[in-house]
Amino acid sequence: MNNIYIDDVGKGYPLVLVHGFLGSSEMWCNQKDFFSKFCRVISPALPGFGESGGAQSLDTINQMAQFVIDIIDEKKINKFNLIGHSMGGMIVQEITKIVGERVNKLICFATGSIGEIPGRFETIDETRKRLKEEGVAALFSRVPKKWFVKGDQDKNYFLCVNAVQNVSEESADNALKAMKNWTGIENLKNIKNETLIIWGEKDTAYNFEQVETLNKNIINSRLEIFKDCSHNVHLEEPKKFNDLIKGFIN
């Protein structure tokens, strides 16, 4: 756990937040402020990203899932609620595959059941190619803008800028490789946990087919769609997002 940042705030039933590609613990700031009033909120920065930018990154979704499980084990937490955003949504599906009996309620947010997403604004191979040719700065200036309806004019876009300050080309490429090589579609039928699926209708990273696949195959699930939002609903409509999750986990 050297060079790993783990925010652990509040008291009560644990709520674990897992960020996505090029994300950070700070990008959950609106959720940490809200939920820490009545939950214990645990939000690590994944190795190589955000506040853990100095740590060696991981190149499989399974490794990332085990990393989060190790944190939870180290804190001696048995059962918990679990949220994953984007790549983090893949990670929480994998966590549920490994220790599903310990997950109370699951929230899959702006994510899908396969890493190589049909209909994404560009293929993962294209993103990796451009990363190699153009470098990390070009990737960081280009991709996060697509996560907001207002692009880099969104009031919370600065959180994306902060998140990538110490991310290396290797860390970004390892995460892209991890997503490309992951699939969780066969495991969806095994997820028995009560599950909330959240999607912004203008998300160009994950299309409706992806979240519909989750909803149709996870037995005990429901889908909530946010109008006029893109990939970062938790930053575009934080109050509505938080209220929805509060009602679900309570």
Side-chain angles (χ1 to χ4, degrees), residues 147-208:
W147 299 340
F148 298 89
V149 169
K150 296 179 181 177
D152 58 6
Q153 299 305 302
D154 190 277
K155 66 179 181 180
N156 284 316
Y157 179 75
F158 76 95
L159 293 167
C160 295
V161 176
N162 292 349
V164 300
Q165 291 301 310
N166 299 308
V167 178
S168 68
E169 181 177 326
E170 179 188 43
S171 293
D173 191 58
N174 276 343
L176 290 165
K177 190 192 313 180
M179 288 188 282
K180 178 177 172 59
N181 293 332
W182 179 82
T183 177
I185 195 163
E186 290 302 318
N187 187 57
L188 295 180
K189 64 182 182 296
N190 298 320
I191 298 177
K192 304 299 193 294
N193 317 68
E194 188 177 352
T195 302
L196 175 64
I197 302 157
I198 300 173
W199 182 67
E201 67 165 354
K202 296 186 177 178
D203 192 342
T204 60
Y206 293 82
N207 58 35
F208 179 72

Side-chain angles (χ1 to χ4, degrees), residues 34-50:
F34 180 82
F35 288 104
S36 62
K37 295 177 175 65
F38 51 89
C39 292
R40 180 182 180 184
V41 182
I42 298 158
S43 55
L46 296 169
F49 290 96

Side-chain angles (χ1 to χ4, degrees), residues 27-79:
M27 287 177 73
W28 293 112
C29 58
N30 294 304
Q31 287 66 54
K32 289 189 281 189
D33 288 348
F34 180 82
F35 288 104
S36 62
K37 295 177 175 65
F38 51 89
C39 292
R40 180 182 180 184
V41 182
I42 298 158
S43 55
L46 296 169
F49 290 96
E51 302 91 335
S52 301
Q56 177 59 49
S57 58
L58 306 171
D59 65 1
T60 73
I61 297 298
N62 180 268
Q63 288 175 337
M64 296 178 195
Q66 194 58 60
F67 163 80
V68 177
I69 292 169
D70 289 346
I71 289 171
I72 295 163
D73 287 347
E74 192 173 87
K75 292 181 178 294
K76 301 188 179 348
I77 292 169
N78 182 27
K79 295 205 73 170

